[in-house]
Amino acid sequence: MNTEQLIKSHLKQRVLLLDSAMGTMIQGHKLSEDDYRGDRFKDHPLPLKGNNDLLSLTQPAIIQGIHEANLAAGADFIETNTFNATSIAQADYATEPQTFEINEVSAQLAKAACDKYSSEDRPRWVIGVLGPTNRTASISPDINRPEFRNVSFEELVEAYTEATQGLLAGGADVLMVETIFDTLNAKAALFAVQNELERQGLDTPIMISGTIVDASGRTLSGQTLAGFYHAVRHVKPLAIGLNCALGADDLIPYIKELSDICECYVSIHPNAGLPNELGEYDHGPELMAEILDGMLAKGQVNIVGGCCGTTPEHIAAMKAVSDQHQPRAIPEIKRYTRLSGLEPLTLTPDLNFINVGERTNVTGSLKFKRLIKEHDLVTALEVAQQQVDNGAQIIDINMDEGLIDSKAMMVTFLNLIGSEPGIGRVPIMLDSSKWDILEAGLQHIQGKGIVNSISLKEGEESFIQQARLARKYGAAVIVMAFDETGQADSFQRKIEICQRTYDVLT
């Protein structure tokens, strides 16, 4: 039985417990700048206080002690002290060279703690945490330059790959992309994780946890919960859930929604309420456990724990109530094509025709082609908005024109759409005859889009490679009835090519 099978066997029997907030516990130690530096970094040129991840190197006994306190309280999963342990986040402290080591040592500390408390009937597992970084790939940091991004998908993939390698080297049992406020960041992390697991030949389970920022029920980058779920479900996670930003009481309707649509296990590790005027959290262990008790009684969750403001005492209280309930049973979910922009689009039989707006296609609209060639992107965006206003459920974007830098224009236009929620709410169909343009587009949409198109015309090897990449990016695909000898030109050829295509893909 591999790790995922073992965890699933326990999840079917009982509600499992995550640990409490590492940052809250570290604050309780009231560490000084010298404590953060230790002997190793005493001459470091920048202040290090606040770099909690670095404490795995300079104060390992404190970090392992926090892990053990959570295990003693009943935690089944221990999260590594790596929330900001990417080269991107560590750059604020000029400690990027230590990124791999921080991840590896953090996983080793958590593993040592788990080994102390594990038994044959009650194993404990290490969750390697991949945090959101301090940048966002979907939102411009400059209000005057909506097309600008201060981080690229490729930079995120590189950073997350290094962090993933460190966590795996240190013995992480599970990898969790958590506190997701921008789904595009998360998709980059998941892309990196999939590539690294494939490279190492591992089947390490993946968990995903998003963050709803306010009563609108959306992430910081504007995506609804269902839109977020559709965009990340392609990795077939062990569990998906919500954490941070809000207290458990504020997450009640969103956990219900997630429980209803989710094809895997559901987790929740909320804050201990919202911060008060002193920046402290008011939900004590009993109150928080009482709120979670309601979700447990309705069979909505499988894994519970705590985020900001929570302590091992909160975990002990949660364990007391979770032991009284059966875990959520995964519902039977009908299989449909599920797409998303900021909002979801599920292609059910009752929808009949799906309206695809093609006026944002330079080969289908002379006006749009002229606007793009003249670089009048403001008016070009208005064309996209009109498409959505007039009922387009998907918008098709094609920049294939000899006098245009098609790849660069695709990226710029998608970034502009990312700043226009009225357009970005619908899924994007990326339309090009060139794979590099399609792939560039996939790196700039946070929802689940559509690749238009792939085919067998360049042979099976190329077709399979592109299909696998599309799936890693979380995209659906349109497949054209072409093969190595050309386009299907008869009824029988259509059947043959489509049958072969289906067999290869499945």
Side-chain angles (χ1 to χ4, degrees), residues 294-408:
M295 299 179 193
L296 293 163
K298 294 173 183 173
Q300 295 173 341
V301 292
N302 303 98
I303 302 169
V304 298
C307 203
C308 303
T310 60
T311 64
E313 288 73 27
H314 287 81
I315 303 308
M318 291 178 201
K319 185 175 189 312
V321 297
S322 68
D323 285 346
Q324 301 169 28
H325 297 287
Q326 291 298 308
R328 166 183 172 270
I330 298 176
E332 287 290 325
I333 306 289
K334 287 188 177 180
R335 293 187 65 180
Y336 297 122
T337 298
R338 301 173 192 275
L339 308 170
S340 65
L342 295 178
E343 299 172 6
L345 174 64
T346 302
L347 306 189
T348 56
D350 59 302
L351 284 181
N352 295 319
F353 291 105
I354 303 299
N355 295 316
V356 180
E358 289 204 318
R359 297 299 182 205
T360 46
N361 181 329
V362 295
T363 65
S365 168
L366 291 174
K367 177 182 177 181
F368 187 74
K369 181 197 283 190
R370 175 178 57 78
L371 293 171
I372 294 299
K373 289 174 75 171
E374 294 173 357
H375 213 76
D376 185 358
L377 301 185
V378 172
T379 309
L381 277 176
E382 291 174 2
V383 172
Q385 184 66 66
Q386 289 165 6
Q387 295 277 275
V388 177
D389 292 343
N390 290 333
Q393 293 152 289
I394 298 167
I395 54 171
D396 177 280
I397 301 173
N398 185 322
M399 298 293 180
D400 285 3
E401 159 62 41
L403 298 179
I404 297 172
D405 184 343
S406 302
K407 184 175 177 180

Side-chain angles (χ1 to χ4, degrees), residues 21-97:
M22 176 60 73
T24 298
M25 295 299 291
I26 287 172
Q27 287 173 13
H29 284 271
K30 298 183 169 27
L31 300 176
S32 67
E33 175 70 24
D34 288 342
D35 293 325
Y36 275 85
R37 288 176 175 272
D39 291 334
R40 178 172 172 182
F41 296 96
K42 63 182 180 180
D43 297 323
H44 193 74
L46 294 181
L48 293 175
K49 188 174 181 180
N51 187 355
N52 289 346
D53 309 73
L54 194 65
L55 294 173
S56 293
L57 305 184
T58 59
Q59 300 293 338
I62 289 175
I63 301 305
Q64 187 167 336
I66 292 170
H67 291 328
E68 291 186 17
N70 279 290
L71 289 161
D76 298 286
F77 294 107
I78 292 297
E79 299 172 78
T80 55
N81 179 37
T82 54
F83 185 77
N84 288 306
T86 59
S87 56
I88 291 171
Q90 287 297 309
D92 286 351
Y93 300 95
T95 47
E96 312 98 296

Side-chain angles (χ1 to χ4, degrees), residues 125-164:
W125 296 282
V126 175
I127 294 180
V129 169
L130 297 161
T133 80
N134 50 7
R135 299 187 187 183
T136 169
S138 290
I139 304 171
S140 173
D142 185 346
I143 193 171
N144 297 312
R145 298 166 63 199
E147 78 288 353
F148 174 69
R149 301 291 184 271
N150 62 3
V151 70
S152 71
F153 190 93
E154 289 153 322
E155 289 168 337
L156 287 164
V157 169
E158 182 180 357
Y160 280 122
T161 297
E162 180 184 25
T164 299

Side-chain angles (χ1 to χ4, degrees), residues 278-290:
L278 300 176
E280 297 172 347
Y281 295 86
D282 294 327
H283 285 190
E286 291 74 22
L287 175 56
M288 197 164 176
E290 180 184 339

Side-chain angles (χ1 to χ4, degrees), residues 473-491:
Y473 282 111
V477 293
I478 288 172
V479 181
M480 300 293 280
F482 282 83
D483 67 6
E484 296 88 340
T485 60
Q487 185 173 0
D489 54 4
S490 68
F491 180 78

